[in-house]
């Protein structure tokens, strides 16, 4: 008998406990204009950079968040979500799940509409806290993929 061996780098890997239905995600994307991209890379080949450029091309105001840079994609870059001086609709996270609780708290404090965790990023406890504070939470989904899919479906 053949057996497949699965080796996981992170034994604490979580699956999302829930995600909003498509109609809610569509509404969120349609009613949002400002997206903070946490973990935005300056490298064009990285997903965070590619997704941020896509969002800009779709008309969103993208705010880079990366403590190692003063400017990315021709825009001011902030060290933390809490330092952003304008209203944020979505906090989109390209970071390790271990960093999500702090960013979730900052998203709540910033009165964001939503906390979005990209593919491979799940933190159910932080998600529950954000939901309790009134934020929509999307986990383990790419905002660019969802935007394209839902736009094509409409």
């Amino acid at each position: 008998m053949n057996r497949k061996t699965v080796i996981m780098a992170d034994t604490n890997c979580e699956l999302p406990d829930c995600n909003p239905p498509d109609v809610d995600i569509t509404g969120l994307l349609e009613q949002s204009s400002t997206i903070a991209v946490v973990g935005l890379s300056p490298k064009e080949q990285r997903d965070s950079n590619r997704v941020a450029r896509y969002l800009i091309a779709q008309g969103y105001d993208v705010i880079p968040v990366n403590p190692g840079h003063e400017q990315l994609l021709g825009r001011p870059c902030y060290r933390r979500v809490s330092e952003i001086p304008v209203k944020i609709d979505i906090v989109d996270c390209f970071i390790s799940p271990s960093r999500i609780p702090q960013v979730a708290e900052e998203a709540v404090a910033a009165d964001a509409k939503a906390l979005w965790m990209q593919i491979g990023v799940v933190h159910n406890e932080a998600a529950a806290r954000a939901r309790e504070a009134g934020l929509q939470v999307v986990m383990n989904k790419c905002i660019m993929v969802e935007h394209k899919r839902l736009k094509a479906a409409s």
Side-chain angles (χ1 to χ4, degrees), residues 7 15 21 24 36 38 77 83-84 103-104 107 109 117 129 138 148:
I7 300 172
L15 294 175
D24 291 351
V38 181
C77 187
E83 295 177 1
I84 299 172
V103 173
M117 296 176 230
R129 165 70 183 108
V138 180
K148 285 180 180 181

Side-chain angles (χ1 to χ4, degrees), residues 29-98:
L29 293 171
E30 288 176 350
Q31 297 166 13
S32 296
S33 60
T34 305
I35 302 175
V37 178
V38 181
L40 178 57
S41 172
K43 297 177 181 173
E44 288 185 8
Q45 69 273 22
R46 292 277 174 98
D47 289 340
S48 62
N49 190 290
R50 206 165 41 88
V51 168
R53 285 184 283 122
Y54 170 83
L55 293 171
I56 291 167
Q58 297 304 306
Y60 291 99
D61 180 17
V62 170
I63 300 174
V65 179
N66 183 324
H69 299 275
E70 291 184 19
Q71 191 175 58
L72 287 170
L73 302 177
R75 298 157 185 261
C77 187
Y78 297 88
R79 293 170 26 112
R80 302 169 58 136
V81 170
S82 60
E83 295 177 1
I84 299 172
V86 298
K87 174 82 172 103
I88 306 160
D89 295 314
I90 301 172
V91 177
D92 183 23
C93 301
F94 286 89
I95 57 176
S96 164
S98 65

